[in-house]
């Protein structure tokens, strides 16, 4: 078999294998530094993508706009028009910003009644950051400092700054902090779990070393891939934690089997060969399944999903390669030293191969009443799935994603409450159908008519409206009602796109319009995900079925595995909806519910979990098939019991690593952490301990028949029962 051949070669060329792996990691890191060019921009789908493309074609860019909410700190203060302190602070702010040279197009509530809130208590100062691309950051920092200075001169007034650059800055900073936190937490947590699993420091460090180098090499290669396919910052966090979870799992499968064979009296190299023939085979089948399943994301046609698929394929592929090639060479080189650094009370017990009494007893009980207990477990998972029927795909705004303790987020919330839609406006891009400048008297008249229609919309569309020339295009910012990504905002976006714009701008000959902005981007993205979901799900299910059929040559086993995975994923969806959309456990988990689930998460969880959960199924089914000669029930009980140690250890590591997501600041990561951890936990307990034994017991000999012949009677060289 291929895994054994690879391991045998690695054993004969230990030094070359280890040096080659180090060289691969070094080349990856150097290529990332030396060949790292300009990162490719992501393009949104649908109409928002057309607007983005039209803006990117211009020689200049849409000015980044900021807003400063001027409001009293104490409630019950006089309204803005009669509040002298607010008016003095506003005048001071406008004068200071104008004189800084860092802003343009300053707009004041002292001159524009549309910039006074509906309740009359606050005003809104708006401006654009001046300069070219290189000047944006220093000019933004200058404006922030000036706003702070003005605020200090008027202590009774609250100045809250938010806008394009303020929010993107706090989001980028949050992602960087999350990456650091995930690195700081994932490595020690994984090491502690591995110490408990193996009971020895050296043995625990080996999987961590291989997983860490796999992740490092992936990051190096992705720096080059990023020049051709967008790799966003969220992908970095996901790749890190998935790489750690999968890399450690694959090494764990191999290392535990090798230690078991050593305990049975095999020599070091002989035990490595057995581990390669058995666990190595599982690693390759599982790794290929993960890569193929995640590859289904490409069918969405979304470049961010494509980048995520590529990054996951890289890190899983490298982890798989390291487990079947580098790990055998490293274990052979270490020999008996792999058990050094034993932990008292754990080291001796963890070295020996053990059968789990608990899971053996559970499987024994289940096989006696498989229909009853399997039915109860299925009913429980279906019950957990029910909340998912009301799942609403809705991406959070930055103010919904990040905690309000961040100044820019608090400012955005306050500004959005006083001036609905101004923080997340729709961006209407106007261009000429045949190219060239679009601005004209007719277009200006249409924009005036648009402004009138907005005023008559009854609050569905809001003011103030901002208009800017961007090279040959014109950009109009229209505040929408709602919170940016809720049903109200979606309805306002639809009205703007289908009614207001066609009846105003649409009447000007030769002018094209397209709407982007945070609401439009998220809406178009969610629509594309829903549109392509059947194609992606169909591909993943078919690919997983064919791979399982190839691995076990049994249609019933392949179908059962797919059904069980769907049950665990459905239950995870239900828990995810119940917790985050309905708002349960919000305080302990540190989030504020916003009434939805991140649009990309269900699809991503589906393809990844279907691949990852195959680890357990393939490993357990392989152990059961090894014992087919002992009888159907005995094989199920013993196969479940002997696989429990590895599967439990792998599940604890995965749950631990995915739980790191819950500690991160962004609600998207918290959702993914809870969803993935719950799915893995269900898969390693109810699925592994109850439903899989129940299904196999009900099927009996039919589970292992192909074309009327028992698979168990056919030679299975890679899973020889003599090595069980």
């Amino acid at each position: 078999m291929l895994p054994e051949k690879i391991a045998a070669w690695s054993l004969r060329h230990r030094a070359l294998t280890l040096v080659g792996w180090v060289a691969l990691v070094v080349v990856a890191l150097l290529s990332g530094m030396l060949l790292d060019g300009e990162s490719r921009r992501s393009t949104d789908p649908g109409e928002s993508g057309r607007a983005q493309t039209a803006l990117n074609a211009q020689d200049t860019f849409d000015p980044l706009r900021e807003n400063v909410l001027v409001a009293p700190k104490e409630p019950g203060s006089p309204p803005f028009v009669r509040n002298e302190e607010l008016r003095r602070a506003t005048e001071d702010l406008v004068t200071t910003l104008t004189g800084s040279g860092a802003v343009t197009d300053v707009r004041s509530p002292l001159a524009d009644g549309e910039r006074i809130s509906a309740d009359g208590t606050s005003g809104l100062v708006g401006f654009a950051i001046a300069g070219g691309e290189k000047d944006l950051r220093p000019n933004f920092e200058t404006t922030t400092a000036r706003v702070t200075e003005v605020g200090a001169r008027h202590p009774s007034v609250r100045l809250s700054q938010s806008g394009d650059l303020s929010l993107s800055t706090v989001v980028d900073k949050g992602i960087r902090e999350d990456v650091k936190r995930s690195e700081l937490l994932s490595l020690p947590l994984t090491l502690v779990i591995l110490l408990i699993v193996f009971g020895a420091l050296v043995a625990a460090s080996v999987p961590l070393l291989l997983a860490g180098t796999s992740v490092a090499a992936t990051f190096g290669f992705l720096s080059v891939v990023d020049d051709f396919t967008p790799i966003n910052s969220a992908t970095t966090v996901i790749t890190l934690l998935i790489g750690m979870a999968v890399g450690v799992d694959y090494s764990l499968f191999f290392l535990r089997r090798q230690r078991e064979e050593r305990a049975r009296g095999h020599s070091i190299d002989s035990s490595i060969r057995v581990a390669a023939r058995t666990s190595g085979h599982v690693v390759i089948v599982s790794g290929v399944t993960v890569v193929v399943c995640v590859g289904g994301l490409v069918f969405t046609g979304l470049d961010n999903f494509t980048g995520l698929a590529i990054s996951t394929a890289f890190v899983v592929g490298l982890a798989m390669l390291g487990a079947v090639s580098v790990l055998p060479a490293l274990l052979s080189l270490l020999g008996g030293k792999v058990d050094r650094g034993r932990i008292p009370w754990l080291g001796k017990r963890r070295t020996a191969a053990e059968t789990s009494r608990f899971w053996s007893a559970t499987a024994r009980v289940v096989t006696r009443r498989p229909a009853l207990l399997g039915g109860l477990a299925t009913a429980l998972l279906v019950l957990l799935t029910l909340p998912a029927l009301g799942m609403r795909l809705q991406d959070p705004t930055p103010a919904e994603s990040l905690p309000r303790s961040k100044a820019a987020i608090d400012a955005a919330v306050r500004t959005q409450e006083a001036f609905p839609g101004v923080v997340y406006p729709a961006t209407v891009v106007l261009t000429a159908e045949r190219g060239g400048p679009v601005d004209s008297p007719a277009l200006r008249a249409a924009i005036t008519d648009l402004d009138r229609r907005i005023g008559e919309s009854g609050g569905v569309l809001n003011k103030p409206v901002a208009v800017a020339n961007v090279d040959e295009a014109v950009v109009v910012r229209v505040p929408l009602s709602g919170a940016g990504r809720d049903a109200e905002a979606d309805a306002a976006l639809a009205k703007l796109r289908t009614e207001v714009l066609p009846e105003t701008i649409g009447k000007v000959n030769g002018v094209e319009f397209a709407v982007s902005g945070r609401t439009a981007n998220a809406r178009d993205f969610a629509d594309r995900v829903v549109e392509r979901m059947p194609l992606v799900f169909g591909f993943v299910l078919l690919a997983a079925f064919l791979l399982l059929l190839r691995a076990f040559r049994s249609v019933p086993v392949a179908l059962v595995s797919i059904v069980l995975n769907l049950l665990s994923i459905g239950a995870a969806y239900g828990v995810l909806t119940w917790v985050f959309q309905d708002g349960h456990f919000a305080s302990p988990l540190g989030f504020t519910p916003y009434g939805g689930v991140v649009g990309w998460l269900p699809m991503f969880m589906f393809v990844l979990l279907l691949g990852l959960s195959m680890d357990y199924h393939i490993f357990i089914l392989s152990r059961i098939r090894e014992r087919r000669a002992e009888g159907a029930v005995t094989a199920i009980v013993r196969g479940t019991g002997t696989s429990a140690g590895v599967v439990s250890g792998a599940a604890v590591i995965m749950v631990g690593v995915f739980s790191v997501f819950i500690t991160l600041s962004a609600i998207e990561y918290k959702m993914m952490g809870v969803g993935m951890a719950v799915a893995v936990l269900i898969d390693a307990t109810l699925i592994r301990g109850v439903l899989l034994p129940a299904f196999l017991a009900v099927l009996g000999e039919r589970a292992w028949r192909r074309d009327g012949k028992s698979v168990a009677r056919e030679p299975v060289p890679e899973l020889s029962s003599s090595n069980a």
Side-chain angles (χ1 to χ4, degrees), residues 659-708:
S659 295
V660 172
F661 280 102
I662 302 174
T663 69
L664 305 185
S665 59
I667 194 172
E668 298 96 317
Y669 296 149
K670 293 180 184 291
M671 286 187 187
M672 190 164 90
V674 169
M676 299 289 285
V678 166
V680 171
L681 189 61
I682 290 173
D683 203 66
T685 53
L686 272 180
I687 300 296
R688 179 269 304 271
V690 179
L691 281 173
L692 183 58
F695 268 93
L696 292 179
V698 169
L699 290 171
E701 195 64 26
R702 290 170 295 176
W704 305 101
R705 288 188 179 275
R706 177 172 63 90
D707 299 331

Side-chain angles (χ1 to χ4, degrees), residues 62-63 65 105 107 115 428 430 439 443-444 447-448 450-451 464-470 473-478:
D62 183 22
R65 301 198 66 86
D105 193 22
R107 302 188 181 188
R115 293 187 168 271
V428 184
L430 310 177
D439 200 0
L443 180 61
R444 290 288 169 175
I447 293 175
T448 301
L450 171 65
D451 188 73
V465 175
V467 182
N469 281 43
V470 181
V474 172
V475 176
V476 182
R477 295 196 181 203
V478 180

Side-chain angles (χ1 to χ4, degrees), residues 491-571:
L493 173 67
K495 183 177 182 65
L496 178 66
R497 280 177 163 177
T498 61
E499 295 180 27
V500 176
L501 286 174
E503 294 171 5
T504 54
I505 306 298
K507 293 182 177 180
V508 181
N509 292 329
V511 174
E512 293 181 332
F513 63 84
V515 181
S516 65
R518 193 172 300 275
T519 303
N521 296 348
R523 179 70 270 157
D524 293 343
F525 187 91
D527 288 344
R528 174 65 65 84
V529 168
V530 172
E531 174 192 342
R532 299 293 178 88
M533 197 174 287
L535 177 62
V536 174
F537 283 15
F539 169 81
V540 172
L541 289 173
L542 178 61
F545 174 77
L546 293 177
L547 288 169
L548 285 167
L549 188 62
R550 174 67 181 85
F552 293 101
R553 295 168 291 174
S554 168
V555 172
V557 168
L559 288 176
V560 164
S561 298
I562 295 294
V563 170
L564 295 184
N565 276 282
L566 291 177
L567 284 173
S568 66
I569 293 172

Side-chain angles (χ1 to χ4, degrees), residues 363-438:
R364 191 174 295 110
V365 172
V366 169
T367 52
R368 289 172 184 167
R369 295 177 176 270
L372 174 63
L373 296 178
L376 290 175
T378 301
L380 176 60
L381 292 179
V382 171
L383 183 65
L384 290 175
T385 303
L386 291 179
L389 298 178
M391 179 186 290
R392 182 173 187 270
L393 299 182
Q394 176 181 323
D395 289 351
T397 63
E400 294 167 333
S401 173
L402 298 173
R404 195 167 173 176
S405 57
K406 299 179 182 295
I409 298 300
D410 180 70
V413 172
R414 293 179 183 276
T415 304
Q416 182 72 10
E417 291 173 350
F419 295 89
V422 76
V423 179
Y424 314 111
T427 302
V428 184
V429 180
L430 310 177
T431 54
E433 290 180 355
R434 299 182 179 179
V438 71

Side-chain angles (χ1 to χ4, degrees), residues 15 18 75 179 200 207 210 213 223 357 516 541 659 666:
L18 296 175
V179 171
L210 284 177
T213 51
S223 295
R357 294 181 181 179
S516 65
L541 289 173
S659 295

Side-chain angles (χ1 to χ4, degrees), residues 2 10 38 55 137 186 256 345 440 450 485 586 631 679:
L2 179 61
S10 297
E38 183 177 356
L55 276 180
R137 179 59 56 180
S186 61
R256 277 298 296 265
W345 303 292
S440 67
L450 171 65
R485 270 302 296 126

Side-chain angles (χ1 to χ4, degrees), residues 108-383:
S108 169
L110 298 177
D112 186 352
E114 293 177 352
R115 293 187 168 271
I116 299 176
S117 62
D119 62 6
T121 60
S122 56
L124 188 69
V125 175
F127 57 89
I129 305 296
E133 189 172 351
K134 294 182 179 179
D135 303 319
L136 288 177
R137 179 59 56 180
N139 284 347
F140 169 71
E141 293 173 355
T142 298
T143 62
T144 303
R146 296 294 182 270
V147 171
T148 302
E149 292 171 4
V150 174
R153 292 197 290 266
H154 302 272
S156 64
V157 177
R158 176 184 285 111
L159 301 181
S160 304
Q161 181 177 345
S162 63
D164 296 337
L165 206 46
S166 295
L167 290 176
S168 64
T169 298
V170 73
V171 169
D172 291 343
K173 183 180 179 181
I175 291 175
R176 289 195 301 270
E177 291 174 349
D178 282 344
V179 171
K180 291 180 181 178
R181 188 179 297 114
S182 62
E183 291 172 346
L184 292 175
L185 291 177
S186 61
L187 294 177
L189 177 63
T190 305
L191 180 59
V192 169
I193 297 173
L194 286 170
L195 285 173
I196 296 173
V197 171
F198 288 112
L201 182 60
V202 174
S205 300
V206 169
L208 202 60
L209 176 65
L210 284 177
T213 51
S214 297
V215 171
T218 298
F219 284 165
F221 287 130
L222 290 182
S223 295
V224 180
V225 174
D226 188 41
D227 299 343
F228 308 96
T229 300
I231 305 290
N232 61 28
S233 50
T235 299
T236 302
V237 180
I238 294 172
T239 301
L240 169 65
L241 296 183
I242 289 177
M244 292 303 300
V246 172
V248 170
D249 262 14
Y250 291 167
S251 299
L252 175 63
F253 287 163
F254 196 103
L255 187 51
R256 277 298 296 265
R257 185 59 183 253
Q258 189 259 346
R259 297 182 99 202
E260 290 177 12
E261 298 304 327
R262 281 180 56 205
R264 291 190 176 101
H266 289 277
S267 67
I268 291 174
D269 283 6
S270 176
S271 64
I272 291 173
R273 288 176 180 269
V274 174
R277 188 166 59 246
T278 54
S279 294
H281 176 73
V282 172
V283 166
I284 286 184
V285 173
S286 174
V288 170
T289 303
V290 174
V291 171
V292 172
C293 287
V294 175
L297 292 174
V298 175
F299 290 101
T300 62
L302 298 168
D303 48 19
N304 280 331
F305 269 160
T306 300
L308 187 56
I310 291 173
S311 66
T312 304
F314 258 113
V315 77
V316 172
L318 287 172
M320 179 176 61
L321 176 63
V324 297
S325 62
V326 181
L327 188 55
L330 189 57
L331 292 177
S332 178
L333 181 65
L334 289 172
K337 297 177 183 178
V338 75
D339 293 324
R340 286 189 174 180
R342 289 187 179 181
I343 309 299
W345 303 292
L346 289 176
K348 184 177 181 180
R349 183 171 66 86
R350 293 299 177 184
T351 302
E354 295 181 344
T355 298
S356 170
R357 294 181 181 179
F358 174 79
W359 289 114
S360 295
T362 301
R364 191 174 295 110
V365 172
V366 169
T367 52
R368 289 172 184 167
R369 295 177 176 270
L372 174 63
L373 296 178
L376 290 175
T378 301
L380 176 60
L381 292 179
V382 171
L383 183 65

